[in-house]
Amino acid sequence: MADRESRLERASGRVLTVPNLLSILRLLLVPLFLWLMLGPEADGWALVVLAVSGVTDFLDGWLARKLDQTSPLGQLLDPVADRLYILAVVVGLALRDVIPWPVALALPLRDLLMWGLVPLLRTRGYSALPVHFLGKAATFNLLYAFPLLLLGEGDGTVATLALVFGWAFAAWGIGLYWWAGLLYAWQVRTLLATVERAPRRKGSGRD
């Protein structure tokens, strides 16, 4: 039993696991995507980067469970990579006039709401709440929407279909993204009303 607990503790501290490396790869692809979109406007390669980002987003979670390589770093890297990926894509698409700015701003504004709730959570001894299914569904829809909207910039039947399906996924994704955010805010409100304020650690605040 002690040996098993020791192995679990070592596993939790691992950094260079396959899932973590995939998350790091996804982070490194963010500036590459922006350069492809705004520099040479190489939409084909930008689509490849989006596809790789989408595949790695699925694989890192699946492999973490399959290989028993979950870690605190991985739990941090995965959502950070998702947020930066979404932010980079909406900014790139907006600067290229693929999507209107109100649509592009709707997603980072929701993230600002989430960040604003973190100090409130910390007053109750929490750093975050469990990821809700709605948030995962929203990310799933957006991961499909962005490549389709970019593909829809072309000509022909395929581009037209891509544009239609891209906006359908985008509408669902943005709606679910905000729904998940508002649900999260309600959970924080409930937590504040039902859980006592966590005691301050010594030296962490003013006397």
Side-chain angles (χ1 to χ4, degrees):
M1 183 66 177
D3 290 340
R4 182 174 181 274
E5 290 177 353
S6 177
R7 288 197 301 270
L8 289 174
E9 289 177 0
R10 289 197 300 269
S12 67
R14 286 181 296 187
V15 174
L16 296 179
T17 62
V18 174
N20 288 353
L21 290 175
L22 289 176
S23 293
I24 293 170
L25 172 63
R26 201 154 78 254
L27 284 170
L28 295 175
L29 290 177
V30 169
L32 175 61
F33 170 81
L34 282 175
W35 177 77
L36 290 170
M37 279 285 293
L38 304 177
E41 296 189 1
D43 292 352
W45 285 110
L47 279 170
V48 171
V49 171
L50 289 180
V52 172
S53 297
V55 171
T56 55
D57 182 55
F58 164 77
L59 284 178
D60 62 5
W62 183 78
L63 287 173
R65 295 185 296 271
K66 187 75 173 178
L67 302 177
D68 192 22
Q69 291 185 346
T70 57
S71 68
L73 178 62
Q75 293 170 358
L76 174 66
L77 280 177
D78 186 48
V80 168
D82 286 342
R83 298 298 179 269
L84 287 178
Y85 164 78
I86 290 173
L87 178 61
V89 174
V90 296
V91 168
L93 293 179
L95 289 173
R96 284 279 304 276
D97 294 324
V98 176
I99 61 175
W101 276 104
V103 172
L105 292 174
L107 298 175
L109 284 176
R110 182 268 196 184
D111 287 334
L112 284 176
L113 167 66
M114 303 292 285
W115 291 333
L117 295 173
V118 172
L120 298 176
L121 278 173
R122 287 177 176 168
T123 65
R124 298 304 188 267
Y126 291 82
S127 59
L129 292 177
V131 177
H132 197 274
F133 171 76
L134 287 176
K136 294 181 179 180
T139 302
F140 173 83
N141 278 272
L142 293 172
L143 287 174
Y144 275 90
F146 296 141
L148 288 170
L149 290 173
L150 185 56
L151 185 61
E153 285 294 283
D155 298 317
T157 303
V158 173
T160 301
L161 289 173
L163 197 62
V164 171
F165 282 102
W167 277 114
F169 276 113
W172 274 103
I174 294 171
L176 290 172
Y177 206 61
W178 269 97
W179 188 4
L182 293 175
L183 179 61
Y184 192 93
W186 182 261
Q187 290 175 328
V188 172
R189 178 188 177 278
T190 303
L191 189 70
L192 294 175
T194 57
V195 177
E196 294 183 358
R197 182 181 290 269
R200 285 185 176 182
R201 295 180 181 177
K202 292 183 178 180
S204 62
R206 293 176 295 182
D207 293 335

mmCIF file with all atom_site columns, all heavy atoms in Angstrom, residues 15 29 32 49 58 63 83 144 162 167 203:
data_model
loop_
_atom_site.group_PDB
_atom_site.id
_atom_site.type_symbol
_atom_site.label_atom_id
_atom_site.label_alt_id
_atom_site.label_comp_id
_atom_site.label_asym_id
_atom_site.label_entity_id
_atom_site.label_seq_id
_atom_site.pdbx_PDB_ins_code
_atom_site.Cartn_x
_atom_site.Cartn_y
_atom_site.Cartn_z
_atom_site.occupancy
_atom_site.B_iso_or_equiv
_atom_site.pdbx_formal_charge
_atom_site.auth_seq_id
_atom_site.auth_comp_id
_atom_site.auth_asym_id
_atom_site.auth_atom_id
_atom_site.pdbx_PDB_model_num
ATOM 1  N N   . VAL A 1 15  ? 6.741   15.670 -15.060 1.00 0.00 ? 15  VAL A N   1
ATOM 2  C CA  . VAL A 1 15  ? 6.563   16.807 -15.948 1.00 0.00 ? 15  VAL A CA  1
ATOM 3  C C   . VAL A 1 15  ? 6.591   16.368 -17.410 1.00 0.00 ? 15  VAL A C   1
ATOM 4  O O   . VAL A 1 15  ? 5.676   16.665 -18.181 1.00 0.00 ? 15  VAL A O   1
ATOM 5  C CB  . VAL A 1 15  ? 7.647   17.872 -15.693 1.00 0.00 ? 15  VAL A CB  1
ATOM 6  C CG1 . VAL A 1 15  ? 7.556   18.993 -16.718 1.00 0.00 ? 15  VAL A CG1 1
ATOM 7  C CG2 . VAL A 1 15  ? 7.532   18.420 -14.277 1.00 0.00 ? 15  VAL A CG2 1
ATOM 8  N N   . LEU A 1 29  ? 2.191   25.918 -30.962 1.00 0.00 ? 29  LEU A N   1
ATOM 9  C CA  . LEU A 1 29  ? 1.521   26.118 -32.245 1.00 0.00 ? 29  LEU A CA  1
ATOM 10 C C   . LEU A 1 29  ? 0.731   27.426 -32.301 1.00 0.00 ? 29  LEU A C   1
ATOM 11 O O   . LEU A 1 29  ? 0.368   27.878 -33.390 1.00 0.00 ? 29  LEU A O   1
ATOM 12 C CB  . LEU A 1 29  ? 0.579   24.938 -32.528 1.00 0.00 ? 29  LEU A CB  1
ATOM 13 C CG  . LEU A 1 29  ? 1.242   23.602 -32.842 1.00 0.00 ? 29  LEU A CG  1
ATOM 14 C CD1 . LEU A 1 29  ? 0.183   22.511 -33.019 1.00 0.00 ? 29  LEU A CD1 1
ATOM 15 C CD2 . LEU A 1 29  ? 2.106   23.699 -34.090 1.00 0.00 ? 29  LEU A CD2 1
ATOM 16 N N   . LEU A 1 32  ? 2.692   30.119 -34.097 1.00 0.00 ? 32  LEU A N   1
ATOM 17 C CA  . LEU A 1 32  ? 2.853   29.675 -35.477 1.00 0.00 ? 32  LEU A CA  1
ATOM 18 C C   . LEU A 1 32  ? 1.580   29.915 -36.272 1.00 0.00 ? 32  LEU A C   1
ATOM 19 O O   . LEU A 1 32  ? 1.616   30.395 -37.414 1.00 0.00 ? 32  LEU A O   1
ATOM 20 C CB  . LEU A 1 32  ? 3.229   28.186 -35.514 1.00 0.00 ? 32  LEU A CB  1
ATOM 21 C CG  . LEU A 1 32  ? 3.320   27.554 -36.899 1.00 0.00 ? 32  LEU A CG  1
ATOM 22 C CD1 . LEU A 1 32  ? 4.383   28.246 -37.747 1.00 0.00 ? 32  LEU A CD1 1
ATOM 23 C CD2 . LEU A 1 32  ? 3.601   26.057 -36.796 1.00 0.00 ? 32  LEU A CD2 1
ATOM 24 N N   . VAL A 1 49  ? -2.324  23.454 -38.927 1.00 0.00 ? 49  VAL A N   1
ATOM 25 C CA  . VAL A 1 49  ? -2.017  23.736 -37.529 1.00 0.00 ? 49  VAL A CA  1
ATOM 26 C C   . VAL A 1 49  ? -3.275  23.582 -36.667 1.00 0.00 ? 49  VAL A C   1
ATOM 27 O O   . VAL A 1 49  ? -3.225  23.014 -35.567 1.00 0.00 ? 49  VAL A O   1
ATOM 28 C CB  . VAL A 1 49  ? -1.429  25.154 -37.376 1.00 0.00 ? 49  VAL A CB  1
ATOM 29 C CG1 . VAL A 1 49  ? -1.318  25.536 -35.899 1.00 0.00 ? 49  VAL A CG1 1
ATOM 30 C CG2 . VAL A 1 49  ? -0.062  25.218 -38.046 1.00 0.00 ? 49  VAL A CG2 1
ATOM 31 N N   . PHE A 1 58  ? -7.496  16.352 -28.076 1.00 0.00 ? 58  PHE A N   1
ATOM 32 C CA  . PHE A 1 58  ? -8.159  15.098 -27.723 1.00 0.00 ? 58  PHE A CA  1
ATOM 33 C C   . PHE A 1 58  ? -7.170  14.094 -27.134 1.00 0.00 ? 58  PHE A C   1
ATOM 34 O O   . PHE A 1 58  ? -7.442  13.444 -26.121 1.00 0.00 ? 58  PHE A O   1
ATOM 35 C CB  . PHE A 1 58  ? -8.835  14.504 -28.954 1.00 0.00 ? 58  PHE A CB  1
ATOM 36 C CG  . PHE A 1 58  ? -9.224  13.050 -28.798 1.00 0.00 ? 58  PHE A CG  1
ATOM 37 C CD1 . PHE A 1 58  ? -10.340 12.695 -28.065 1.00 0.00 ? 58  PHE A CD1 1
ATOM 38 C CD2 . PHE A 1 58  ? -8.442  12.042 -29.363 1.00 0.00 ? 58  PHE A CD2 1
ATOM 39 C CE1 . PHE A 1 58  ? -10.689 11.360 -27.898 1.00 0.00 ? 58  PHE A CE1 1
ATOM 40 C CE2 . PHE A 1 58  ? -8.787  10.710 -29.208 1.00 0.00 ? 58  PHE A CE2 1
ATOM 41 C CZ  . PHE A 1 58  ? -9.912  10.372 -28.478 1.00 0.00 ? 58  PHE A CZ  1
ATOM 42 N N   . LEU A 1 63  ? -4.689  10.101 -23.545 1.00 0.00 ? 63  LEU A N   1
ATOM 43 C CA  . LEU A 1 63  ? -3.458  9.408  -23.167 1.00 0.00 ? 63  LEU A CA  1
ATOM 44 C C   . LEU A 1 63  ? -3.178  9.532  -21.675 1.00 0.00 ? 63  LEU A C   1
ATOM 45 O O   . LEU A 1 63  ? -2.629  8.602  -21.067 1.00 0.00 ? 63  LEU A O   1
ATOM 46 C CB  . LEU A 1 63  ? -2.274  9.966  -23.968 1.00 0.00 ? 63  LEU A CB  1
ATOM 47 C CG  . LEU A 1 63  ? -2.239  9.571  -25.445 1.00 0.00 ? 63  LEU A CG  1
ATOM 48 C CD1 . LEU A 1 63  ? -1.117  10.317 -26.165 1.00 0.00 ? 63  LEU A CD1 1
ATOM 49 C CD2 . LEU A 1 63  ? -2.060  8.066  -25.603 1.00 0.00 ? 63  LEU A CD2 1
ATOM 50 N N   . ARG A 1 83  ? -7.400  27.907 -23.825 1.00 0.00 ? 83  ARG A N   1
ATOM 51 C CA  . ARG A 1 83  ? -7.773  29.324 -23.799 1.00 0.00 ? 83  ARG A CA  1
ATOM 52 C C   . ARG A 1 83  ? -6.908  30.138 -24.753 1.00 0.00 ? 83  ARG A C   1
ATOM 53 O O   . ARG A 1 83  ? -7.412  30.999 -25.484 1.00 0.00 ? 83  ARG A O   1
ATOM 54 C CB  . ARG A 1 83  ? -7.650  29.892 -22.374 1.00 0.00 ? 83  ARG A CB  1
ATOM 55 C CG  . ARG A 1 83  ? -8.548  29.242 -21.346 1.00 0.00 ? 83  ARG A CG  1
ATOM 56 C CD  . ARG A 1 83  ? -10.031 29.434 -21.675 1.00 0.00 ? 83  ARG A CD  1
ATOM 57 N NE  . ARG A 1 83  ? -10.868 28.768 -20.685 1.00 0.00 ? 83  ARG A NE  1
ATOM 58 C CZ  . ARG A 1 83  ? -11.291 27.541 -20.779 1.00 0.00 ? 83  ARG A CZ  1
ATOM 59 N NH1 . ARG A 1 83  ? -10.934 26.792 -21.813 1.00 0.00 ? 83  ARG A NH1 1
ATOM 60 N NH2 . ARG A 1 83  ? -12.075 27.014 -19.858 1.00 0.00 ? 83  ARG A NH2 1
ATOM 61 N N   . TYR A 1 144 ? -14.127 22.719 -33.872 1.00 0.00 ? 144 TYR A N   1
ATOM 62 C CA  . TYR A 1 144 ? -14.601 22.412 -35.221 1.00 0.00 ? 144 TYR A CA  1
ATOM 63 C C   . TYR A 1 144 ? -14.945 23.677 -35.991 1.00 0.00 ? 144 TYR A C   1
ATOM 64 O O   . TYR A 1 144 ? -14.772 23.744 -37.214 1.00 0.00 ? 144 TYR A O   1
ATOM 65 C CB  . TYR A 1 144 ? -15.834 21.500 -35.156 1.00 0.00 ? 144 TYR A CB  1
ATOM 66 C CG  . TYR A 1 144 ? -15.497 20.042 -35.042 1.00 0.00 ? 144 TYR A CG  1
ATOM 67 C CD1 . TYR A 1 144 ? -15.339 19.433 -33.792 1.00 0.00 ? 144 TYR A CD1 1
ATOM 68 C CD2 . TYR A 1 144 ? -15.325 19.260 -36.174 1.00 0.00 ? 144 TYR A CD2 1
ATOM 69 C CE1 . TYR A 1 144 ? -15.024 18.092 -33.681 1.00 0.00 ? 144 TYR A CE1 1
ATOM 70 C CE2 . TYR A 1 144 ? -15.005 17.914 -36.069 1.00 0.00 ? 144 TYR A CE2 1
ATOM 71 C CZ  . TYR A 1 144 ? -14.859 17.332 -34.821 1.00 0.00 ? 144 TYR A CZ  1
ATOM 72 O OH  . TYR A 1 144 ? -14.530 16.003 -34.714 1.00 0.00 ? 144 TYR A OH  1
ATOM 73 N N   . ALA A 1 162 ? -18.629 24.524 -45.767 1.00 0.00 ? 162 ALA A N   1
ATOM 74 C CA  . ALA A 1 162 ? -17.779 24.738 -44.604 1.00 0.00 ? 162 ALA A CA  1
ATOM 75 C C   . ALA A 1 162 ? -18.210 25.986 -43.838 1.00 0.00 ? 162 ALA A C   1
ATOM 76 O O   . ALA A 1 162 ? -18.233 25.999 -42.605 1.00 0.00 ? 162 ALA A O   1
ATOM 77 C CB  . ALA A 1 162 ? -16.321 24.862 -45.029 1.00 0.00 ? 162 ALA A CB  1
ATOM 78 N N   . TRP A 1 167 ? -20.345 28.274 -39.040 1.00 0.00 ? 167 TRP A N   1
ATOM 79 C CA  . TRP A 1 167 ? -21.127 29.210 -38.233 1.00 0.00 ? 167 TRP A CA  1
ATOM 80 C C   . TRP A 1 167 ? -22.094 28.485 -37.303 1.00 0.00 ? 167 TRP A C   1
ATOM 81 O O   . TRP A 1 167 ? -22.401 28.962 -36.209 1.00 0.00 ? 167 TRP A O   1
ATOM 82 C CB  . TRP A 1 167 ? -21.882 30.197 -39.126 1.00 0.00 ? 167 TRP A CB  1
ATOM 83 C CG  . TRP A 1 167 ? -21.021 31.336 -39.546 1.00 0.00 ? 167 TRP A CG  1
ATOM 84 C CD1 . TRP A 1 167 ? -20.583 31.638 -40.806 1.00 0.00 ? 167 TRP A CD1 1
ATOM 85 C CD2 . TRP A 1 167 ? -20.470 32.342 -38.682 1.00 0.00 ? 167 TRP A CD2 1
ATOM 86 N NE1 . TRP A 1 167 ? -19.790 32.755 -40.791 1.00 0.00 ? 167 TRP A NE1 1
ATOM 87 C CE2 . TRP A 1 167 ? -19.707 33.215 -39.506 1.00 0.00 ? 167 TRP A CE2 1
ATOM 88 C CE3 . TRP A 1 167 ? -20.530 32.583 -37.316 1.00 0.00 ? 167 TRP A CE3 1
ATOM 89 C CZ2 . TRP A 1 167 ? -19.025 34.306 -38.986 1.00 0.00 ? 167 TRP A CZ2 1
ATOM 90 C CZ3 . TRP A 1 167 ? -19.841 33.669 -36.783 1.00 0.00 ? 167 TRP A CZ3 1
ATOM 91 C CH2 . TRP A 1 167 ? -19.107 34.519 -37.614 1.00 0.00 ? 167 TRP A CH2 1
ATOM 92 N N   . GLY A 1 203 ? 1.308   35.361 7.538   1.00 0.00 ? 203 GLY A N   1
ATOM 93 C CA  . GLY A 1 203 ? 2.215   36.060 6.654   1.00 0.00 ? 203 GLY A CA  1
ATOM 94 C C   . GLY A 1 203 ? 1.664   36.312 5.274   1.00 0.00 ? 203 GLY A C   1
ATOM 95 O O   . GLY A 1 203 ? 2.336   36.871 4.420   1.00 0.00 ? 203 GLY A O   1
#
